[in-house]
Amino acid sequence: MTEDSSDTATPFTQLGGEPGVRALVDHFYDLMDIEPGFARLREVHGSTLDDARDKLFWFLCGWLGGPSHYIERFGHPRLRARHLPFSIGQVERDQWLACMFQAMEDQAVPAELKARLERSLFETADWMRNRAD
């Protein structure tokens, strides 16, 4: 097998490197901006999504096994601490996950990788909740 086979490739590589991760992130935020089902999630993000787009792209590159753009810019992600200013409950968690899962589906992320990422993203998103519902 080659080094780039699905057995050894990182999720970052399987998604197509930086262009693939950027496309996924951009589609995620485009969905959030236009789909009524993600309205509460969109509300939490303020008037513009530009900063969030870049930060999620930088974070996901490293989290998926690619370059550590986020860490190089901001240090350790400290995800929970950085999200404490935002009220995150079950609705926000579920809308974030649904939006990302839809983005992965629309971007034709391979089924096995999509299932793996869905499990990991659920654990992370659930851990980010800071409001009892």
Side-chain angles (χ1 to χ4, degrees):
M1 300 210 134
T2 66
E3 226 175 280
D4 288 321
S5 75
S6 62
D7 289 341
T8 59
T10 64
F12 176 79
T13 303
Q14 292 176 16
L15 288 170
E18 288 188 14
V21 175
R22 176 55 82 177
L24 177 64
V25 168
D26 284 345
H27 190 61
F28 168 78
Y29 283 108
D30 290 347
L31 287 170
M32 183 191 304
D33 211 21
I34 63 172
E35 291 295 329
F38 305 132
R40 176 65 193 124
L41 179 63
R42 178 60 184 89
E43 244 176 62
V44 172
H45 283 80
S47 61
T48 180
L49 296 172
D50 295 340
D51 191 45
R53 281 178 195 265
D54 286 339
K55 285 181 177 176
L56 183 59
F57 167 71
W58 295 327
F59 172 77
L60 284 181
C61 281
W63 187 75
L64 293 165
S68 300
H69 298 311
Y70 188 93
I71 291 171
E72 290 167 4
R73 286 169 173 80
F74 305 106
H76 190 283
R78 299 179 10 230
L79 289 180
R80 188 155 165 77
R82 291 185 196 269
H83 285 81
L84 281 175
F86 308 100
S87 180
I88 302 171
Q90 201 167 14
V91 169
E92 292 79 13
R93 177 203 65 193
D94 291 350
Q95 285 188 14
W96 194 97
L97 290 168
C99 191
M100 181 56 76
F101 295 173
Q102 182 63 52
M104 287 194 293
E105 184 71 28
D106 292 350
Q107 294 297 116
V109 172
E112 187 176 310
L113 177 59
K114 184 174 180 281
R116 178 177 161 200
L117 293 176
E118 284 177 353
R119 286 189 301 273
S120 294
L121 290 168
F122 176 83
E123 290 173 9
T124 302
D126 193 53
W127 178 68
M128 302 293 280
R129 291 189 310 150
N130 56 27
R131 183 184 80 234
D133 291 311

